[in-house]
Amino acid sequence: MTLVRPFLHDRVDIIGDIHGEIEALERLLGRLHVDIARGRAERPLIFVGDLVDRGPDSVAVVELIQHLVNEKIAQVVLGNHEHNLLRGEEKEGNGWFVDHADGADCFPGPSGPQLFASRVATSDEKEKIRRFLLSLPVALESRELRVVHADWFPEDIEAAREVGDYSAFDALRRCAATEFDLRGAPDEVAIRNYAVPLPYHHGLACQHAADQNREPIRVLLSGREKPLRTAGDPSEIPVPFLSGKHRFAERARWWREDDDERAVVFGHYWRRLEGRNRGKMDVFEGIDPLAWFGKRRQAFCVDYSVGKRFEARAYGRDLREGALAALRWPERTLLFDTDTERFATRL
Ligand SMILES: [Mn+2]
């Protein structure tokens, strides 16, 4: 079996990034009339990945979804957060699964570094989660629809069709063609220190984007990147701090060049129903929060930022600034875990 697989059904509900928010998931599944205990659903579910990290109970989220997969009423693609767990990489918000050797797993809270309030997995739970994640595909497709966590890059989708497991896929790399001028670049410690702002460094930005773009697994799971800016005074280019690092490269809007005529649904990009993302380049700037977008209006991001709730809790903000969404296919209707029921624009 390859890492790109067919949908088992034509009519599906596609659910966005969950990030350990078990209550949101249970509420949304209730609205979709899923009978969790009996393993029955009116229609099958597709999960776009990022089931885990930062939220209260990633273990419960994975166990619930694995149950739905076993009952054959759900399919799941791997997200970058799941992939980090498989690689054992320490990332902000995954201390519930990966031991953080250099310090505790914290985020910038209202009064300094704050621990994530996440249920920690036992070693048995970890082993079960690991085996489940290794069984997941990286993308799903039919004649009308494509689903991937972040970026449907045709060259890397083709590569994923040729491999059957993540150890083979992880090993694929394009050659590093260029050497970048890294004189005066900040070191890794400075890049991870949110307390001290960093000036923009173009060589480092190019290096970061190139490192990202040469690995097929990273491209599909967290998207192609490009340097923040190619021209202008570096001191005037703000370098955002996101998910534990200063970011010199930004996400590319790949859907503008996507030439496939099929619809493509993905998560990952922190879409907002209202307002915009704090301190962050918004890849959806100028796009209606409920609209299809891209070269042929073929693209839809179903991640409505429920993963921001850990932060909203810490800062006492309204939890509804993020939501968990389901896109009903082929109707193209959106349903949320919150009280908003709104409809996506038709093509
Ligand atoms: Mn993601």
Side-chain angles (χ1 to χ4, degrees), residues 118-137:
S118 308
R119 175 182 147 196
V120 176
T122 66
S123 51
D124 282 356
E125 286 167 341
K126 285 185 199 178
E127 193 41 44
K128 237 180 106 190
I129 290 171
R130 231 186 120 66
R131 279 201 304 271
F132 174 60
L133 298 183
L134 285 170
S135 76
L136 301 179

Side-chain angles (χ1 to χ4, degrees), residues 197-202 205 227-240 247-250 281:
L198 292 176
Y200 180 71
H201 188 289
H202 190 61
L228 274 179
R229 219 49 69 80
T230 49
D233 179 355
S235 64
E236 285 172 10
I237 300 170
V239 176
R247 303 285 170 167
F248 294 83
E250 67 173 321
M281 301 258 170

Side-chain angles (χ1 to χ4, degrees), residues 80 150 212 217-225 251 268-269:
N80 55 311
Q212 172 76 10
I217 183 77
R218 289 171 66 129
V219 166
L220 300 184
L221 267 47
S222 48
R224 280 165 277 175
E225 292 185 1
R251 293 164 164 182
H268 187 66
Y269 291 91

Side-chain angles (χ1 to χ4, degrees), residues 41-287:
E42 280 179 6
R43 49 206 279 166
L45 308 166
I46 305 295
F47 292 92
V48 302
D50 279 6
L51 316 178
V52 300
D53 293 353
R54 301 197 181 103
D57 202 339
S58 296
V59 181
V61 169
V62 178
E63 281 179 350
L64 199 170
I65 291 173
Q66 183 169 14
H67 166 63
L68 302 176
V69 169
N70 291 343
E71 297 289 340
K72 304 212 166 14
I73 54 169
Q75 288 179 283
V76 189
V77 296
L78 202 76
N80 55 311
H81 283 260
E82 285 79 44
H83 188 246
N84 293 336
L85 302 186
L86 290 176
R87 279 194 178 177
E89 284 179 5
E90 288 176 36
K91 298 279 178 172
E92 187 195 79
N94 76 5
W96 66 277
F97 192 99
V98 178
D99 292 328
H100 283 228
D102 49 327
D105 181 17
C106 289
F107 65 95
S111 47
Q114 189 169 328
L115 278 171
F116 283 92
S118 308
R119 175 182 147 196
V120 176
T122 66
S123 51
D124 282 356
E125 286 167 341
K126 285 185 199 178
E127 193 41 44
K128 237 180 106 190
I129 290 171
R130 231 186 120 66
R131 279 201 304 271
F132 174 60
L133 298 183
L134 285 170
S135 76
L136 301 179
V138 81
L140 292 165
E141 65 178 344
S142 68
R143 247 184 278 169
E144 291 85 34
L145 180 64
R146 300 169 279 159
V147 165
V148 69
H149 181 63
D151 183 345
W152 190 281
F153 183 41
E155 184 178 330
D156 292 344
I157 290 286
E158 290 315 310
R161 286 186 209 284
E162 304 296 316
V163 298
D165 62 74
Y166 287 100
S167 55
F169 195 43
D170 281 6
L172 298 181
R173 302 266 187 293
R174 276 174 279 272
C175 297
T178 322
E179 293 224 1
F180 302 104
D181 184 355
L182 297 179
R183 280 172 297 180
D187 62 15
E188 203 51 33
V189 174
I191 289 169
R192 290 177 182 280
N193 179 7
Y194 77 91
V196 182
L198 292 176
Y200 180 71
H201 188 289
H202 190 61
L204 193 62
C206 292
Q207 181 76 62
H208 284 178
D211 288 346
Q212 172 76 10
N213 298 342
R214 63 197 284 257
E215 280 188 62
I217 183 77
R218 289 171 66 129
V219 166
L220 300 184
L221 267 47
S222 48
R224 280 165 277 175
E225 292 185 1
K226 61 187 181 62
L228 274 179
R229 219 49 69 80
T230 49
D233 179 355
S235 64
E236 285 172 10
I237 300 170
V239 176
F241 188 89
L242 299 164
S243 306
K245 284 173 88 170
H246 284 96
R247 303 285 170 167
F248 294 83
E250 67 173 321
R251 293 164 164 182
R253 298 168 206 205
W254 59 268
W255 43 85
R256 291 174 170 175
E257 280 96 48
D258 178 46
D259 271 320
D260 198 316
E261 288 187 9
R262 297 174 293 173
V264 60
V265 180
F266 50 95
H268 187 66
Y269 291 91
W270 301 100
R271 202 171 191 180
R272 299 287 301 263
L273 267 174
E274 274 142 40
R276 48 173 295 142
N277 284 315
R278 281 163 232 269
K280 192 168 192 173
M281 301 258 170
D282 187 358
V283 289
F284 301 125
E285 206 174 348
I287 297 174

